[in-house]
């Protein structure tokens, strides 16, 4: 299954084509809409007030409610666009954004309105694709879940099991510990009040993957496959599996998870490896953490350059911006993980 | 340029095929040998005493000292193999190793001797491929360098510039601060004395990449491309660009590197983004950190399972093992980065 | 540039996503519409009376009339669908069609109405993609043209130059010799009167490709690249470069085109090789012929099987069918060739 | 399974890396050697007297006689090279060869000795790879066979069944009708006596492929997959499936193979489609014909250009050349077909 996302924030529509969808899946569009709603802006004070229906229209690959096996295309029209916001500052490269890099890459022809193709809005079709992937995984009793593990240094509780993550999916602010979640939201609102934003991290797990998927080599390595999907999510800057960066503080005797037999199945005591050894799944939950940079659009005055004039400049952004995207990003990370898991399974 | 690594630790030979090498490169084999020697075992008390000449024999793609443009194959014969070491424990899954995952993936047909295709020895052909890549990059004034940033919690100094990394390449223990390096080596030797091993991290930078390489989308994203190469290096469990996991502790106003004009070139004050915005290079040095798990082969008694019997078991490894691979992994990470940079450049 | 076609004949819409379009192309949508009109049905007695506006709506990748470099998606709504035609015979595998193969591939979930995703209608988005490719090629003075070389054994005149192909593009029935074209049309109408259809062949040339594109090896071979695009066109069953199948009747002394210098450029006297030697372009026009099978949908009674019952059956097709698709396929073959040429050029 | 061929005619060695080989195959190296011997030169008056042992050395991916699942590399050393033959004429582009195209592609750095990487000798590692593929197919009761269908206009009998092709494999000159074969050999020897060469065609069939493999779309289309492998074989200039170019002479009522039930299986009466409809296998034998151009190396005087001087020139080749490669190409076409069949099966 390959996905191809298209669209710009202020163009006619955004969407996705999924090639290689297995035929016969009775696609539950309500489940997909549920994830789209989790990602949607405008829910509360933590998010941009932009409101989009985000209703996907399936153009192909679905017949009598089931996937046909032919490419599946879903389109979401853009309706609530206010492009005027962006015209005024179009030559001022927003720090932390891709404006300058994109101008170099696309020779200035990229659609700059609302970030164009770089907009976080493009994660909606990714969530759609991930929704299809999740339903394919569920047929094999494989489940993907995620929670906010950190916001601006405030950490959520440690992940214990699938059920706790399932509960997270129903929350507006998906954390294991609502107490910690309240602290995180406090940090977000403080940043918002100071015309600032915050970064964070999301921990995600795939439960039920069989052992023996992936290979050590380039291109077929389980960690490599997951990371490629994850870094395609805007704002992700770090990806760590299992104990992750803590491995740099550990000894082999700590990191080498003892193995034991559990009713005929080999299991690891701590799952330090995050479900992957040598690029191959080991049957334990596949666990990783993705770190997201703070939203770069902030209302504060910032120093930057005017790309048209080639001069230093001062930027004051207007428009509608999120002080934190981390809670909206949870279903996006799940979507990327679900698509990666499908690739690993050869779906 | 695509690379394809083959071989097993105790098979006849290991090697690599590089497809798509640009024609006309006067390949400096001594420079490649230098990197192979940096990676080679047996240099000091920190490494396994296994000694291999690691002399690559180029079978194709080189004519009168220059690359022809046809696939380049280099082979390194295995000479110093002592397979008997492994026969005794072949059914005991070594914790932290891929033994169990590999048995599931390859249905028990994988060559288990010395880790077979999973052996760290397979990084030698990767270093060869990276050596070719480095020389192609040098033609464009692009340079790759790396240093050990952490060993078992001991951190090296912060990276300042290319020259300091160039100096690292000549060191047996490649750190910026030799004082910190001594502390790290002390930590390694302590672990060794306790029949244990330690993990660490390597920071790597690519200098001279032009702005405008990569794309935001899946498969063409700069971070995604680098991470795929990096996770194909054995033991790498986390990859972080720029400020990396510290983004989760930051506000937008800190993370949003102000931009300024520097002699007609747009530059970022701090390079928090690690040279990449929106999946596209921004002309600043591309900087990332890769975390490596502790060497899983340790001489201590470990609890595990006997895969043939399906029973819990106790493992005591003999053989030759590294208490730390981090110093030997520096040229390997550089090689992966050089290959990734070539892909980004369309070489 | 990669294309991804989606849609079914009787679904909501068909379309294409083009990834990797170079930024800055001032897309001439009228030129694309011109090719779509050449492909469109309903023009004359030779074609199915189904009428579709075939008006493409560009959803993304175009901003202020120019390509942005982000994925370009174009959608064509389906309007004139009469699905009832197909319900009656849905279990009767139409001979020559993919009905049985598709049922096996898609486990019966494929959309059978009007051939679903297998419909010739899906060549409309391919023509759109090819139209973009042609405009990119024209920027480099590269042109693609084609003519009907054979219909039911009636051959067109031999191809001489680019200008004669350019003239073909304006014709309803694109042949070099209108006299031969009249004979061909006679053969088509005779077949139509007998409730039958006819096959044919299209000769296509790409003018202006530089020498030195492609490689001998699998995956990068010029003939391999072209053939992959061509066989993705429905009904194509043979692809031959240069002298093609006539090579089996030739001696080396005939086939070995003498070379000569022509104002500093190496040229071949006859271009037997069709512009490709060893998988690499040689600077001569790239010439190939694609053979298309007769339209399988014919109104005659045919023997077949009922796939639901697993019994022999007799089929009498109703619906709207072409007695020949060869004239409508000319812009489709051009589109496939234009996309292949772009791949060869690294566009 | 991906293959990667390396080497040059007069370099140290040639070889192949096969990635993705399923583990556990008890590789029958004698069967591989048998195919290598069928391809080898020097057997009789029809071939070049160059003699190579063509003994493959397996460097990796094989352990205790079985494939491990890790990349399999086989190397064949070059021993009988006489490079001096080529030095004298290295700037004279041999008509029909890739000399000029290669010089443009590789900027003159390609190894010109004996055609370098373009040499027909590189088909030896392809036959090795195909030999592995054949053994994997045989595990699924799938068989590949081929015969010479035409040499210089002399046609072999029509293909009837698998058993007749199996018999061909044992013949020095693999035809169904030895009488026709004698005529063909006569045509070859006549050409040889006149310092010339001849072209021909090979018909190949894959028996036992299940229905339902492949897809209509680009990149996954059965004909597209096969053609890509076939055009990577040197000298192949046309590929035709089923009735092939004869479709241009047919009516739908002839081409539309009636279907019928045969003991619960859907079968086509004539297999005009060559086992593929809509890019998907239909369960009938997959049949195609590949046309090979005459060997371009002929001893006759030929007009050409001197690439160093940029002048017209006259070429008289010395060295060892085949007046016909068609009989030696039979196992090569089989190898390409076997690899394509594996890709189609997802092996």
């Amino acid at each position: 299954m390959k996905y191809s996302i298209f669209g710009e924030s202020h163009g006619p529509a955004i969407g996705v084509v999924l090639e290689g969808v297995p035929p016969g899946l009775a696609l539950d569009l309500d489940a997909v809409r549920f994830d789209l709603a989790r990602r949607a802006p405008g829910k509360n004070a933590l998010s941009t007030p932009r409101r989009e229906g985000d209703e996907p229209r399936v153009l192909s690959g679905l017949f009598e409610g089931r996937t046909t096996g032919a490419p599946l295309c879903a389109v979401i029209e853009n309706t609530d666009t206010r492009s005027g916001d962006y015209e005024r500052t179009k030559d001022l490269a927003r720090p932390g954004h891709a404006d300058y890099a994109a101008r170099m890459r696309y020779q200035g022809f990229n659609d700059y309105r609302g970030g164009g193709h770089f907009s976080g809005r493009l994660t909606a079709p990714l969530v759609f694709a991930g929704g299809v992937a999740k339903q394919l995984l569920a047929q094999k009793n494989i489940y993907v879940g995620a929670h906010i593990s950190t916001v601006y240094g405030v950490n959520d509780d440690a992940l214990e099991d699938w059920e706790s993550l399932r509960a997270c999916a129903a929350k507006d602010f998906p954390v294991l510990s609502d107490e910690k979640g309240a602290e995180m939201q406090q940090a977000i609102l403080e940043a918002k009040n100071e015309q600032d934003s915050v970064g964070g991290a999301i921990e995600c797990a795939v439960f039920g993957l069989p052992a023996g998927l992936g290979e050590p080599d380039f291109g077929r390595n389980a960690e490599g496959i997951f990371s490629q999907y994850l870094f395609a999510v805007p704002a992700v800057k770090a990806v760590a599996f299992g104990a992750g960066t803590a491995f740099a503080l550990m000894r082999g005797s700590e990191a080498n998870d003892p193995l034991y037999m559990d009713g005929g199945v080999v299991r690891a005591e701590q799952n330090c490896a995050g479900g992957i050894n040598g690029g191959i799944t080991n049957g334990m939950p596949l666990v990783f953490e993705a770190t997201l940079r703070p939203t770069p659009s902030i209302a504060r005055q910032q120093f930057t350059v005017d790309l048209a004039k080639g001069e230093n400049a001062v930027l004051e952004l207007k428009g509608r911006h999120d002080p934190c995207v981390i809670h909206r990003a949870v279903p996006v990370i799940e979507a990327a993980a679900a698509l990666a898991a499908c690739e690993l399974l050869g779906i």
Side-chain angles (χ1 to χ4, degrees), chain A:
Chain A
M1 206 156 75
K2 299 262 169 222
Y3 80 91
S4 206
I5 280 175
F6 56 86
E8 281 93 22
S9 181
H10 290 62
I14 57 178
V16 64
V17 176
L18 268 170
E19 296 186 290
V21 184
L25 174 72
L27 187 65
D28 180 350
L29 275 170
D30 282 335
V32 176
R33 283 186 196 104
F34 178 76
D35 274 354
L36 285 169
R38 291 169 68 204
R39 191 215 69 89
K43 282 182 305 199
N44 53 34
L46 305 176
S47 305
T48 161
R50 176 172 175 171
R51 287 175 184 285
E52 293 281 2
D54 280 356
E55 176 61 24
R57 180 184 176 218
V58 177
L59 297 188
S60 66
L62 202 65
F63 179 50
E64 299 178 343
R66 287 182 183 268
T67 55
T68 63
L72 194 158
C73 178
V75 165
I76 299 172
E77 301 280 325
N78 285 329
T79 53
D80 182 18
T81 58
R82 297 193 306 187
S83 305
D85 288 351
Y86 299 94
E87 191 64 27
R88 187 177 53 83
T89 54
K90 77 186 175 79
D91 292 322
L92 301 184
R94 294 166 300 166
H97 269 289
D99 296 350
Y100 169 62
R103 184 174 290 222
M104 296 302 283
R105 168 67 184 82
Y106 299 114
Q107 299 148 40
F109 293 108
N110 52 303
D111 181 353
Y112 52 81
R113 300 168 301 164
H117 187 60
F118 292 82
S119 167
R121 179 151 173 71
L122 271 290
T123 56
L126 178 53
V127 167
F128 183 96
V132 176
K134 281 179 178 177
Q135 294 183 33
L136 291 165
L137 294 173
Q139 291 182 324
K140 297 177 185 290
N141 294 314
I142 297 166
Y143 300 94
V144 178
H147 70 114
I148 303 173
S149 47
T150 309
V151 166
Y152 196 48
V154 182
N155 297 324
D156 193 11
D157 287 354
L159 172 63
E160 300 287 340
D161 58 18
W162 161 243
E163 287 308 320
S164 61
L165 281 185
R166 189 195 293 260
C168 275
K171 299 182 184 181
D172 272 1
F173 197 83
V175 282
L176 298 171
S177 156
D178 292 331
E179 200 177 335
K180 298 289 174 54
E183 279 182 58
M184 292 176 188
Q185 292 180 67
Q186 185 58 32
I188 297 170
L189 290 173
E190 279 169 21
K192 187 184 181 189
N193 289 340
E194 297 171 30
Q195 299 187 302
D196 214 334
S197 64
V198 293
I202 291 168
E203 186 181 43
C204 180
V206 186
F207 297 87
L209 281 175
L213 304 176
E215 294 201 18
D217 295 315
F218 178 78
R220 301 183 299 278
N221 178 285
E223 285 128 334
I225 288 171
F226 267 78
S227 66
Q228 214 186 4
Y229 283 87
L230 291 162
F231 281 117
V233 175
V236 171
K237 293 299 282 185
V239 172
F241 295 86
T245 52
F247 276 123
L249 318 175
M250 290 167 85
R251 283 198 168 177
S253 55
E254 299 166 277
N256 278 1
D257 253 353
L259 302 174
Y260 65 100
M261 295 305 302
D262 179 19
V265 175
V266 174
R267 296 180 61 82
E269 279 186 13
Q270 311 153 32
N271 196 19
C272 283
I276 303 174
N277 290 114
I280 301 175
T281 57
N282 64 15
M284 296 295 293
L286 194 159
V287 183
F288 65 87
E289 189 173 54
T291 305
L292 283 82
R293 51 158 297 135
T295 323
S297 292
I298 56 177
R300 287 189 179 202
Q301 210 183 59
Q302 297 183 83
F303 295 104
T304 186
V305 298
D306 183 311
L307 294 171
K309 298 184 186 158
E311 294 174 355
N312 289 341
V314 173
L315 172 71
E316 278 184 81
L317 281 176
K318 302 262 184 310
R320 302 165 292 186
H321 307 293
D322 285 346
C324 183
V325 292
I326 201 87
H327 53 295
R328 293 178 54 199
V330 169
V332 182
I333 295 296
E334 288 174 11
L339 288 162
C342 283
E343 178 168 336
L344 213 48
L345 284 157
I347 292 179

